Amino acid sequence: PTRSVGLTPPRRIQLSSPRPRTETRKETGMPALGRKASEPLCTPSKLGAMLSNDSLDVSDANWFALLQCAHAHEKCSISYPPVRRDESVVETLHGRGVADPYRWLEDEDSPSTKAFVDAQARTFASYMEQMVGSAKRDDVCAKLRKMYNYEKWGCPSRHGERYCFFSHNSGLQNQSVMYKQQCAALQTKHSPGRTLGSAQVLLDPNALSADGTAAVGTRAFSRDGSKLAYAVSRSGSDWATIRVRDVRTCTDLGPDVIQWVKFSHISWTPDGAGFFYSRYDAPKGLATTDDGGAAGTETTASKFHKLYYHALGTPQHVDVLVWDDPEHEDYMFAAEVTDDGAYVLLTIFESCDPVNKLYAAPLDALLAAAADARTTFVRLVDDFRAQFEYVANDGAKLLLKTNLDAPSYKLVGVDISGALGGGGGALTFSDALPESEHVLEWAQCVAGDRLICCYVEHVKNVLKQYTLPSGVAAPCVFERDVPLPSLGTVSGFSGERAHEEVYYSFTSFLYPGSAYMYEPRTGKLTLIFETVVPGFKASRYVTEQAFYTSKDGTRVPMFLVHGRGLKKDGNNATLLYGYGGFAISLTPYFSAFRLVLLQLLGGVYALANIRGGGEYGETWHQAGTKAHKQRVFDDFHGAAEHLIRAGYTRPAKLAIQGGSNGGLLVAACANQRPELYGAVLCQVGVLDMLRFHKFTIGHAWMSEYGSPDDAADFEHIIKYSPLHTVRADKRYPAMLLLTADHDDRVVPLHTFKHIATLQHLVARQPQQEGVAILARIERKAGHGAGKPTEKVIEEAADMYCFLLVNLDVAF
């Protein structure tokens, strides 16, 4: 349920499964909805990616000509479509009347809403033709396509004794392909021009749909590596169907088709006889998740999550219901089988906060109990005071990662034998790895008695290796730092206690990526894959990290990427990106799309690590939630002011971008300080903050924003809710709002209602003449996960053209 239920950050990294857990993969577009294999089982605070694994080829010296000087671009004539306002819809909330004249747009299947969507699409197309022209727009598309056309390698993982597995994209494939290869063949040192060689296709998602809109998300291998359970989502929806593939024959097993899976982990039993998964009941009136049609367009709230066990070779209707909770409709559940196969750990969430309940049951007893499986669980932690996530175990002694009295996280050991034996009483936790000044992002036990820990140190990853001389529940002993090629992000990791080697991948702003095999006992490091981007020279660019002071005096970090020799004369077109929520850390990652944009702009890309994120632990996160949400916007305004003061740019040349929770960020900032920005890209944003909790999984976000049904929370929310704070008396920057018809995470009605409001109150005002406020509505796409390469390129071209026009950059 986990990280998947939250909102999507700008990108997501891949970590292959270190044990037979669910894997996530780095996609072209936002991330797949599983968890990092080495990450916590079900922390809902993070999620995954947008415009990642991109490339750059700067060999064409005659690429787009740029004009650094400002010039007055031609005024555009925009005829906004008329939109009906129902002034009778006024709700009384906590004694205050709140108008909602576009509530009818919440019915996405109505003819009126469909006509609204068609009219907005025509308006955007007309604007693009008038201000850009099809030839220039197609040229940008072609350049992006050319730059993206290079080989992309995923982080390898090993399952069982025979095969290693990895993903590969030849360049422009809509979805990356999963391969299998004999481990001995894979584990050879990388050489320039390395090919797939003896690797065989295990699963090609491109064969699942003609247009690339079927994507593989959550997946997990059985312990012996002989079977792969994988979840396919269609048209970007969170709904998925699990199938099981025989690794030897590379074909699916017939009876094993699991429908209506959402926010699910997959965990196999050690004998490979079955697995645990989570799902909701099918929405009324929908037959299957596989048709790519209606599934994902509904807006009804996701309620009453359920945990099941599926035995291989049986139809879904006989799956065993392991856990549900009719008294708590918002709870979500996930199961994980421990490394030794002895226990099933049940994790229970009520929201996106990094807190959970933790129950345990002997696996044999649970399977034997069948329909009475819930009676076998013992409640280890039965409240939501902290997060407890499984790392490893020696019998009944568990190693857990927790934020209990540790906002930067630590590892604790606990013996659950007494609780399992019916002894009762509170568990005693002892520190195995105390809290550090830096954030412990994840920990993985490998190579028998070694522990690899990933920390975030001032928004960059470091890997540290420890030994476990007295078992997993006893204090760890530092052994060495694991080498990384530069300052950046560990973008993938895979390793198991049963194997002597681990694999990890790395990326940074100017480092396209590489994957390594590392042997913890000897420290030997072998380069396995290296991403080569033809023509890209990192020496032409500069990355720096700046710290600026926010409104309340807080010091906030920000990354800057720009061409070498940039003049700080205030005339540089600049794109400022932010997120600021759900404890998500925005660490450095490579994007050729970003570098293409830098060439087009001739300016600066800035990434602000504002509060609400996880860069400095739970303290940093909580400082930007609920009653403190305004701090997030203040931090972002502060980033803009720093860029202007330091001479990088000026308001007319400054664009801001954010997606999902970041869409809320940029929309709120545009309302609060419209004079500070020249253009806004608001992607799949949460914009109606008084009704977000009523649709699909929105109720899980109340831990972040507060509840509109609570009087105190309402008073904070109403002050920044983008839909309710639009200012008709101000000149707004150019704004492009983006959404998609199958986004069942942040449903499109947020964008529909907000664009209608902006066009009514702002776009037709005299001061707004020639400054566009438009919407781009994608078909057969969702919140971003699994979006096919071609759709990503087309979307990027539209966004970049919009920015170039409105920042007065000639192209």
Side-chain angles (χ1 to χ4, degrees):
T2 72
R3 301 183 181 275
S4 310
V5 304
L7 301 180
T8 308
R11 48 110 191 172
R12 191 58 188 152
I13 63 176
Q14 163 206 325
L15 279 100
S16 301
S17 179
R19 56 177 82 91
R21 299 175 175 177
T22 302
E23 297 185 28
T24 61
R25 57 186 182 130
K26 196 172 180 182
E27 292 290 352
T28 57
M30 296 182 212
L33 298 181
R35 63 169 180 139
K36 293 181 186 177
S38 56
E39 270 191 291
L41 168 62
C42 287
T43 347
S45 57
K46 294 184 181 179
L47 243 218
M50 194 194 250
L51 304 182
S52 61
N53 266 348
D54 310 332
S55 76
L56 176 70
D57 178 358
V58 294
S59 58
D60 184 356
N62 295 316
W63 221 58
F64 293 108
L66 305 177
L67 290 180
Q68 289 292 82
C69 60
H71 64 278
H73 65 82
E74 63 175 300
K75 294 291 185 180
C76 61
S77 175
I78 306 172
S79 178
Y80 293 104
V83 181
R84 175 172 61 89
R85 286 174 60 85
D86 186 350
E87 306 288 359
S88 69
V89 182
V90 180
E91 221 174 350
T92 301
L93 299 174
H94 309 291
R96 183 184 305 192
V98 178
D100 195 1
Y102 300 113
R103 185 168 294 184
W104 59 272
L105 287 170
E106 293 180 2
D107 183 0
E108 296 180 24
D109 293 325
S110 74
S112 297
T113 301
K114 291 179 179 179
F116 167 87
V117 170
D118 290 341
Q120 291 294 331
R122 288 193 299 270
T123 302
F124 178 69
S126 174
Y127 172 87
M128 291 293 289
E129 181 60 34
Q130 179 184 350
M131 297 304 296
V132 179
S134 57
K136 282 189 176 182
R137 195 263 185 193
D138 290 347
D139 198 14
V140 172
C141 263
K143 291 294 184 180
L144 288 168
R145 199 171 288 114
K146 177 182 177 182
M147 301 307 145
Y148 196 80
N149 191 10
Y150 70 99
E151 281 191 290
K152 305 161 188 71
W153 304 85
C155 181
S157 62
R158 178 180 172 184
H159 305 280
E161 297 305 316
R162 186 176 183 185
Y163 288 116
C164 287
F165 305 89
F166 60 91
S167 64
H168 175 266
N169 193 303
S170 61
L172 293 176
Q173 290 175 285
N174 274 320
Q175 304 291 338
S176 293
V177 179
M178 186 182 296
Y179 286 84
K180 65 176 183 178
Q181 190 170 31
Q182 296 279 354
C183 289
L186 176 76
Q187 294 168 355
T188 57
K189 185 176 181 180
H190 175 89
S191 58
R194 178 169 185 160
T195 64
L196 290 168
S198 61
Q200 298 173 276
V201 173
L202 173 62
L203 177 62
D204 183 359
N206 299 290
L208 302 178
S209 64
D211 58 3
T213 56
V216 175
T218 303
R219 59 184 186 260
F221 287 91
S222 60
R223 296 287 174 102
D224 63 0
S226 66
K227 290 175 283 290
L228 168 67
Y230 66 98
V232 175
S233 61
R234 296 185 181 271
S235 299
S237 170
D238 280 338
W239 291 115
T241 299
I242 296 177
R243 287 180 167 81
V244 179
R245 178 149 293 206
D246 183 289
V247 170
R248 183 182 63 84
T249 64
C250 302
T251 57
D252 287 346
L253 303 177
D256 302 287
V257 179
I258 315 297
Q259 296 272 354
W260 300 111
V261 177
K262 185 184 276 195
F263 310 136
S264 179
H265 176 59
I266 301 172
S267 187
W268 286 86
T269 55
D271 58 3
F275 54 83
F276 296 91
Y277 69 94
S278 306
R279 58 162 290 188
Y280 290 99
D281 290 338
K284 291 182 179 179
L286 297 182
T288 173
T289 53
D290 269 347
D291 60 10
T297 63
E298 75 287 344
T299 62
T300 51
S302 300
K303 301 286 188 179
F304 301 109
H305 209 225
K306 298 177 181 179
L307 176 68
Y308 286 90
Y309 173 74
H310 173 75
L312 285 192
T314 65
Q316 183 177 4
H317 72 266
V318 301
D319 288 355
V320 175
L321 177 63
V322 175
W323 195 271
D324 66 348
D325 192 336
E327 295 182 1
H328 296 94
E329 62 183 10
D330 294 341
Y331 279 12
M332 291 167 286
F333 314 105
E336 180 164 23
V337 179
T338 57
D339 288 343
D340 59 2
Y343 304 105
V344 177
L345 299 179
L346 169 63
T347 309
I348 301 175
F349 305 92
E350 64 174 350
S351 70
C352 285
D353 247 6
V355 296
N356 60 272
K357 297 183 179 183
L358 184 65
Y359 300 170
L363 176 61
D364 291 343
L366 184 152
L367 295 177
D372 296 321
R374 64 184 305 119
T375 64
T376 63
F377 281 99
V378 173
R379 303 182 181 214
L380 304 177
V381 178
D382 202 24
D383 55 40
F384 294 109
R385 58 184 155 141
Q387 181 186 88
F388 297 91
E389 60 187 41
Y390 173 74
V391 177
N393 72 297
D394 288 332
K397 295 181 179 179
L398 304 184
L399 181 65
L400 305 174
K401 174 174 170 274
T402 184
N403 55 18
L404 179 67
D405 301 321
S408 291
Y409 295 87
K410 63 181 179 180
L411 300 182
V412 296
V414 61
D415 190 334
I416 64 171
S417 56
L420 292 171
L427 296 177
T428 300
F429 298 102
S430 59
D431 285 358
L433 183 61
E435 182 185 23
S436 160
E437 63 174 316
H438 302 297
V439 180
L440 176 60
E441 192 170 45
W442 52 262
Q444 180 61 44
C445 195
V446 299
D449 62 350
R450 260 54 176 192
L451 185 74
I452 305 292
C453 295
C454 183
Y455 285 90
V456 180
E457 294 188 359
H458 296 298
V459 206
K460 285 109 35 192
N461 281 152
V462 297
L463 291 179
K464 294 184 178 295
Q465 180 176 317
Y466 298 83
T467 61
L468 302 167
S470 302
V472 299
C476 310
V477 177
F478 177 75
E479 187 170 12
R480 67 170 68 95
D481 289 321
V482 179
L484 296 176
S486 179
L487 297 178
T489 299
V490 177
S491 53
F493 185 88
S494 173
E496 300 180 10
R497 295 185 78 179
H499 299 145
E500 291 299 310
E501 82 282 2
V502 303
Y503 301 90
Y504 63 87
S505 54
F506 177 87
T507 185
S508 193
F509 288 118
L510 302 177
Y511 191 90
S514 52
Y516 299 87
M517 181 178 71
Y518 173 70
E519 299 173 51
R521 293 192 182 278
T522 64
K524 181 181 178 182
L525 187 68
T526 303
L527 177 65
I528 301 295
F529 297 134
E530 184 174 19
T531 301
V532 177
V533 182
F536 168 60
K537 294 183 179 180
S539 60
R540 296 180 180 178
Y541 298 91
V542 174
T543 298
E544 53 187 301
Q545 187 178 34
F547 288 83
Y548 63 91
T549 302
S550 189
K551 182 178 180 179
D552 63 359
T554 299
R555 195 165 176 258
V556 181
M558 175 168 57
F559 287 109
L560 303 172
V561 184
H562 56 79
R564 194 170 295 278
L566 181 88
K567 294 182 180 179
K568 295 183 182 180
D569 59 4
N571 288 320
N572 299 297
T574 299
L575 178 61
L576 171 62
Y577 194 98
Y579 186 75
F582 295 86
I584 292 169
S585 301
L586 302 186
T587 53
Y589 66 102
F590 182 79
S591 166
F593 283 179
R594 180 197 304 125
L595 296 178
V596 166
L597 179 62
L598 285 177
Q599 286 201 358
L600 286 167
L601 293 178
V604 181
Y605 174 83
L607 179 64
N609 299 108
I610 57 184
R611 281 174 286 185
E615 288 87 348
Y616 293 99
E618 194 56 15
T619 301
W620 192 255
H621 169 221
Q622 291 298 333
T625 64
K626 294 184 177 178
H628 307 304
K629 190 65 179 175
Q630 182 58 41
R631 294 174 179 169
V632 179
F633 312 134
D634 290 341
D635 286 358
F636 202 61
H637 295 317
E641 291 168 338
H642 173 82
L643 291 168
I644 294 167
R645 281 195 308 269
Y648 288 101
T649 192
R650 52 189 169 85
K653 288 286 189 177
L654 177 59
I656 56 175
Q657 180 186 14
S660 198
N661 173 73
L664 160 63
L665 168 70
V666 297
C669 286
N671 283 347
Q672 293 179 7
R673 299 284 303 278
E675 77 286 351
L676 194 57
Y677 308 107
V680 178
L681 296 176
C682 175
Q683 297 171 270
V684 293
V686 189
L687 304 171
D688 184 348
M689 298 306 297
L690 299 185
R691 290 176 62 78
F692 72 88
H693 60 313
K694 297 180 180 294
F695 308 107
T696 60
I697 200 59
H699 57 80
W701 313 333
M702 289 190 289
S703 59
E704 190 79 8
Y705 304 130
S707 170
D709 298 332
D710 177 86
D713 287 345
F714 170 85
E715 291 301 325
H716 299 298
I717 293 169
I718 192 67
K719 293 176 182 177
Y720 70 78
S721 175
L723 182 64
H724 303 93
T725 54
V726 175
R727 304 170 65 178
D729 61 329
K730 295 289 185 179
R731 184 181 188 274
Y732 270 58
M735 297 185 67
L736 179 61
L737 279 61
L738 299 95
T739 189
D741 62 352
H742 281 70
D743 188 348
D744 47 359
R745 184 76 58 82
V746 180
V747 290
L749 64 88
H750 285 273
T751 295
F752 295 171
K753 293 169 72 172
H754 195 52
I755 194 64
T757 301
L758 286 168
Q759 289 178 353
H760 174 73
L761 292 178
V762 176
R764 293 178 172 86
Q765 299 298 327
Q767 70 268 21
Q768 205 67 26
E769 183 182 356
V771 183
I773 297 181
L774 301 167
R776 183 187 190 276
I777 304 167
E778 183 70 81
R779 311 280 183 168
K780 293 192 73 177
H783 199 58
K787 184 178 290 185
T789 296
E790 189 57 28
K791 282 186 178 290
V792 174
I793 291 171
E794 295 279 343
E795 180 182 60
D798 285 343
M799 290 193 297
Y800 293 178
C801 288
F802 185 85
L803 289 184
L804 292 167
V805 166
N806 288 288
L807 296 183
D808 281 337
V809 177
F811 68 108

Short mmCIF file of all heavy atoms in Angstrom, two decimals, residues 115-150:
data_model
loop_
_atom_site.label_atom_id
_atom_site.label_comp_id
_atom_site.label_asym_id
_atom_site.label_seq_id
_atom_site.Cartn_x
_atom_site.Cartn_y
_atom_site.Cartn_z
N ALA A 115 -17.41 17.08 -22.85
CA ALA A 115 -17.40 18.23 -23.76
C ALA A 115 -16.42 19.29 -23.24
O ALA A 115 -15.72 19.94 -24.04
CB ALA A 115 -18.81 18.82 -23.86
N PHE A 116 -16.36 19.46 -21.93
CA PHE A 116 -15.40 20.39 -21.33
C PHE A 116 -13.97 19.97 -21.65
O PHE A 116 -13.14 20.81 -22.05
CB PHE A 116 -15.62 20.42 -19.81
CG PHE A 116 -14.52 21.09 -19.04
CD1 PHE A 116 -14.53 22.46 -18.83
CD2 PHE A 116 -13.47 20.36 -18.50
CE1 PHE A 116 -13.51 23.09 -18.12
CE2 PHE A 116 -12.44 20.97 -17.78
CZ PHE A 116 -12.48 22.35 -17.61
N VAL A 117 -13.67 18.68 -21.51
CA VAL A 117 -12.33 18.17 -21.80
C VAL A 117 -11.98 18.40 -23.27
O VAL A 117 -10.87 18.85 -23.60
CB VAL A 117 -12.23 16.68 -21.43
CG1 VAL A 117 -10.93 16.08 -21.95
CG2 VAL A 117 -12.33 16.49 -19.93
N ASP A 118 -12.92 18.12 -24.15
CA ASP A 118 -12.67 18.32 -25.59
C ASP A 118 -12.41 19.79 -25.89
O ASP A 118 -11.52 20.13 -26.70
CB ASP A 118 -13.86 17.82 -26.40
CG ASP A 118 -13.99 16.30 -26.37
OD1 ASP A 118 -12.99 15.63 -26.04
OD2 ASP A 118 -15.09 15.79 -26.68
N ALA A 119 -13.16 20.68 -25.25
CA ALA A 119 -12.99 22.12 -25.50
C ALA A 119 -11.64 22.60 -25.00
O ALA A 119 -10.97 23.41 -25.67
CB ALA A 119 -14.13 22.90 -24.84
N GLN A 120 -11.21 22.12 -23.85
CA GLN A 120 -9.89 22.51 -23.33
C GLN A 120 -8.78 22.00 -24.23
O GLN A 120 -7.78 22.69 -24.46
CB GLN A 120 -9.71 21.97 -21.90
CG GLN A 120 -10.61 22.61 -20.86
CD GLN A 120 -10.30 24.08 -20.63
OE1 GLN A 120 -9.16 24.52 -20.79
NE2 GLN A 120 -11.31 24.84 -20.25
N ALA A 121 -8.96 20.78 -24.75
CA ALA A 121 -7.95 20.22 -25.66
C ALA A 121 -7.85 21.05 -26.93
O ALA A 121 -6.74 21.32 -27.43
CB ALA A 121 -8.30 18.77 -25.99
N ARG A 122 -8.97 21.48 -27.46
CA ARG A 122 -8.95 22.31 -28.67
C ARG A 122 -8.28 23.65 -28.40
O ARG A 122 -7.53 24.17 -29.25
CB ARG A 122 -10.38 22.51 -29.20
CG ARG A 122 -11.00 21.28 -29.82
CD ARG A 122 -12.26 21.64 -30.60
NE ARG A 122 -13.29 22.22 -29.73
CZ ARG A 122 -14.22 21.53 -29.09
NH1 ARG A 122 -14.25 20.20 -29.21
NH2 ARG A 122 -15.12 22.12 -28.35
N THR A 123 -8.54 24.22 -27.25
CA THR A 123 -7.96 25.52 -26.91
C THR A 123 -6.44 25.41 -26.80
O THR A 123 -5.70 26.27 -27.29
CB THR A 123 -8.55 26.04 -25.59
OG1 THR A 123 -9.97 26.14 -25.70
CG2 THR A 123 -7.98 27.41 -25.23
N PHE A 124 -5.97 24.35 -26.16
CA PHE A 124 -4.53 24.16 -26.04
C PHE A 124 -3.89 23.93 -27.41
O PHE A 124 -2.84 24.51 -27.73
CB PHE A 124 -4.22 22.99 -25.11
CG PHE A 124 -2.75 22.70 -24.97
CD1 PHE A 124 -1.92 23.58 -24.30
CD2 PHE A 124 -2.18 21.57 -25.52
CE1 PHE A 124 -0.56 23.34 -24.18
CE2 PHE A 124 -0.83 21.31 -25.41
CZ PHE A 124 -0.01 22.21 -24.73
N ALA A 125 -4.53 23.10 -28.23
CA ALA A 125 -3.99 22.83 -29.56
C ALA A 125 -3.94 24.10 -30.41
O ALA A 125 -2.97 24.34 -31.14
CB ALA A 125 -4.85 21.76 -30.25
N SER A 126 -4.96 24.93 -30.28
CA SER A 126 -4.99 26.18 -31.03
C SER A 126 -3.87 27.11 -30.58
O SER A 126 -3.21 27.75 -31.41
CB SER A 126 -6.35 26.87 -30.83
OG SER A 126 -6.36 28.14 -31.44
N TYR A 127 -3.63 27.18 -29.28
CA TYR A 127 -2.56 28.02 -28.74
C TYR A 127 -1.20 27.54 -29.25
O TYR A 127 -0.37 28.35 -29.69
CB TYR A 127 -2.59 27.97 -27.22
CG TYR A 127 -1.41 28.64 -26.56
CD1 TYR A 127 -1.42 30.01 -26.29
CD2 TYR A 127 -0.28 27.91 -26.19
CE1 TYR A 127 -0.34 30.63 -25.69
CE2 TYR A 127 0.81 28.53 -25.59
CZ TYR A 127 0.78 29.89 -25.34
OH TYR A 127 1.84 30.50 -24.75
N MET A 128 -0.98 26.25 -29.21
CA MET A 128 0.30 25.70 -29.65
C MET A 128 0.54 25.97 -31.13
O MET A 128 1.65 26.31 -31.55
CB MET A 128 0.37 24.20 -29.36
CG MET A 128 0.43 23.85 -27.89
SD MET A 128 1.96 24.38 -27.10
CE MET A 128 3.12 23.24 -27.84
N GLU A 129 -0.51 25.87 -31.92
CA GLU A 129 -0.36 26.13 -33.35
C GLU A 129 -0.07 27.61 -33.61
O GLU A 129 0.77 27.97 -34.45
CB GLU A 129 -1.63 25.71 -34.09
CG GLU A 129 -1.58 25.91 -35.60
CD GLU A 129 -0.46 25.11 -36.26
OE1 GLU A 129 -0.15 23.99 -35.79
OE2 GLU A 129 0.13 25.61 -37.24
N GLN A 130 -0.75 28.48 -32.85
CA GLN A 130 -0.57 29.92 -33.05
C GLN A 130 0.78 30.41 -32.56
O GLN A 130 1.45 31.20 -33.23
CB GLN A 130 -1.68 30.67 -32.30
CG GLN A 130 -1.59 32.18 -32.41
CD GLN A 130 -2.66 32.88 -31.59
OE1 GLN A 130 -3.57 32.25 -31.07
NE2 GLN A 130 -2.54 34.20 -31.46
N MET A 131 1.21 29.94 -31.39
CA MET A 131 2.40 30.50 -30.75
C MET A 131 3.67 29.71 -31.06
O MET A 131 4.77 30.24 -30.92
CB MET A 131 2.20 30.56 -29.24
CG MET A 131 1.06 31.48 -28.82
SD MET A 131 1.23 33.17 -29.45
CE MET A 131 2.73 33.66 -28.60
N VAL A 132 3.53 28.44 -31.40
CA VAL A 132 4.70 27.60 -31.66
C VAL A 132 4.73 27.16 -33.12
O VAL A 132 5.74 27.30 -33.81
CB VAL A 132 4.71 26.36 -30.72
CG1 VAL A 132 5.92 25.49 -31.03
CG2 VAL A 132 4.71 26.79 -29.26
N GLY A 133 3.62 26.61 -33.55
CA GLY A 133 3.56 26.08 -34.90
C GLY A 133 3.95 24.62 -34.92
O GLY A 133 4.83 24.18 -34.18
N SER A 134 3.29 23.87 -35.78
CA SER A 134 3.51 22.43 -35.80
C SER A 134 4.93 22.07 -36.19
O SER A 134 5.51 21.10 -35.70
CB SER A 134 2.51 21.74 -36.74
OG SER A 134 2.61 22.28 -38.05
N ALA A 135 5.53 22.86 -37.06
CA ALA A 135 6.89 22.54 -37.51
C ALA A 135 7.89 22.66 -36.37
O ALA A 135 8.73 21.77 -36.16
CB ALA A 135 7.29 23.46 -38.66
N LYS A 136 7.81 23.76 -35.60
CA LYS A 136 8.74 23.92 -34.48
C LYS A 136 8.47 22.89 -33.40
O LYS A 136 9.41 22.33 -32.80
CB LYS A 136 8.61 25.34 -33.89
CG LYS A 136 9.30 26.41 -34.70
CD LYS A 136 9.31 27.73 -33.93
CE LYS A 136 10.08 28.79 -34.67
NZ LYS A 136 10.12 30.07 -33.91
N ARG A 137 7.21 22.65 -33.14
CA ARG A 137 6.87 21.68 -32.10
C ARG A 137 7.37 20.29 -32.50
O ARG A 137 7.94 19.54 -31.69
CB ARG A 137 5.37 21.68 -31.88
CG ARG A 137 4.90 20.99 -30.60
CD ARG A 137 4.48 19.58 -30.90
NE ARG A 137 3.91 18.93 -29.73
CZ ARG A 137 3.70 17.63 -29.65
NH1 ARG A 137 4.01 16.85 -30.69
NH2 ARG A 137 3.20 17.09 -28.57
N ASP A 138 7.17 19.92 -33.74
CA ASP A 138 7.65 18.62 -34.22
C ASP A 138 9.17 18.56 -34.17
O ASP A 138 9.75 17.50 -33.92
CB ASP A 138 7.17 18.37 -35.66
CG ASP A 138 5.67 18.11 -35.74
OD1 ASP A 138 5.05 17.88 -34.68
OD2 ASP A 138 5.11 18.15 -36.86
N ASP A 139 9.82 19.69 -34.41
CA ASP A 139 11.28 19.73 -34.36
C ASP A 139 11.76 19.48 -32.93
O ASP A 139 12.74 18.75 -32.72
CB ASP A 139 11.77 21.08 -34.87
CG ASP A 139 13.24 21.04 -35.26
OD1 ASP A 139 13.78 19.93 -35.40
OD2 ASP A 139 13.83 22.11 -35.43
N VAL A 140 11.09 20.09 -31.95
CA VAL A 140 11.45 19.84 -30.55
C VAL A 140 11.25 18.37 -30.21
O VAL A 140 12.09 17.74 -29.57
CB VAL A 140 10.63 20.75 -29.62
CG1 VAL A 140 10.85 20.35 -28.15
CG2 VAL A 140 11.00 22.21 -29.81
N CYS A 141 10.13 17.81 -30.65
CA CYS A 141 9.87 16.38 -30.43
C CYS A 141 10.99 15.53 -31.02
O CYS A 141 11.48 14.59 -30.39
CB CYS A 141 8.55 15.97 -31.08
SG CYS A 141 7.16 15.94 -29.95
N ALA A 142 11.38 15.86 -32.23
CA ALA A 142 12.42 15.08 -32.89
C ALA A 142 13.74 15.17 -32.14
O ALA A 142 14.47 14.18 -32.01
CB ALA A 142 12.58 15.56 -34.33
N LYS A 143 14.08 16.37 -31.66
CA LYS A 143 15.31 16.54 -30.91
C LYS A 143 15.27 15.75 -29.61
O LYS A 143 16.24 15.07 -29.24
CB LYS A 143 15.55 18.02 -30.61
CG LYS A 143 15.88 18.86 -31.84
CD LYS A 143 17.21 18.45 -32.44
CE LYS A 143 17.60 19.34 -33.60
NZ LYS A 143 18.90 18.96 -34.20
N LEU A 144 14.14 15.80 -28.90
CA LEU A 144 14.02 15.03 -27.67
C LEU A 144 14.14 13.54 -27.94
O LEU A 144 14.79 12.80 -27.21
CB LEU A 144 12.67 15.34 -27.00
CG LEU A 144 12.55 16.72 -26.35
CD1 LEU A 144 11.09 17.00 -25.99
CD2 LEU A 144 13.42 16.81 -25.11
N ARG A 145 13.49 13.11 -29.02
CA ARG A 145 13.53 11.70 -29.37
C ARG A 145 14.95 11.27 -29.69
O ARG A 145 15.40 10.19 -29.28
CB ARG A 145 12.60 11.46 -30.56
CG ARG A 145 12.17 10.02 -30.77
CD ARG A 145 11.09 9.93 -31.82
NE ARG A 145 9.81 10.45 -31.34
CZ ARG A 145 9.20 11.53 -31.81
NH1 ARG A 145 9.75 12.22 -32.79
NH2 ARG A 145 8.06 11.91 -31.29
N LYS A 146 15.67 12.10 -30.39
CA LYS A 146 17.05 11.79 -30.74
C LYS A 146 17.91 11.69 -29.47
O LYS A 146 18.73 10.78 -29.32
CB LYS A 146 17.61 12.85 -31.68
CG LYS A 146 19.08 12.65 -32.04
CD LYS A 146 19.58 13.77 -32.94
CE LYS A 146 21.06 13.60 -33.24
NZ LYS A 146 21.58 14.72 -34.07
N MET A 147 17.73 12.65 -28.57
CA MET A 147 18.54 12.67 -27.36
C MET A 147 18.25 11.49 -26.44
O MET A 147 19.12 11.04 -25.71
CB MET A 147 18.31 13.97 -26.60
CG MET A 147 18.64 15.23 -27.37
SD MET A 147 20.31 15.18 -28.05
CE MET A 147 20.06 16.05 -29.59
N TYR A 148 17.02 11.03 -26.49
CA TYR A 148 16.62 9.94 -25.59
C TYR A 148 17.02 8.57 -26.14
O TYR A 148 16.96 7.57 -25.42
CB TYR A 148 15.10 9.98 -25.40
CG TYR A 148 14.64 9.18 -24.22
CD1 TYR A 148 14.73 9.68 -22.93
CD2 TYR A 148 14.10 7.90 -24.39
CE1 TYR A 148 14.31 8.94 -21.84
CE2 TYR A 148 13.68 7.16 -23.30
CZ TYR A 148 13.78 7.68 -22.04
OH TYR A 148 13.38 6.96 -20.97
N ASN A 149 17.45 8.54 -27.36
CA ASN A 149 17.68 7.26 -28.03
C ASN A 149 19.07 6.72 -27.70
O ASN A 149 19.99 6.78 -28.51
CB ASN A 149 17.51 7.43 -29.54
CG ASN A 149 17.48 6.10 -30.26
OD1 ASN A 149 17.38 5.05 -29.64
ND2 ASN A 149 17.55 6.15 -31.58
N TYR A 150 19.22 6.18 -26.51
CA TYR A 150 20.46 5.52 -26.10
C TYR A 150 20.10 4.35 -25.17
O TYR A 150 19.01 4.30 -24.60
CB TYR A 150 21.39 6.50 -25.37
CG TYR A 150 20.91 6.92 -24.00
CD1 TYR A 150 21.41 6.32 -22.86
CD2 TYR A 150 19.94 7.91 -23.86
CE1 TYR A 150 20.97 6.68 -21.60
CE2 TYR A 150 19.50 8.28 -22.61
CZ TYR A 150 20.01 7.67 -21.48
OH TYR A 150 19.56 8.04 -20.24
#
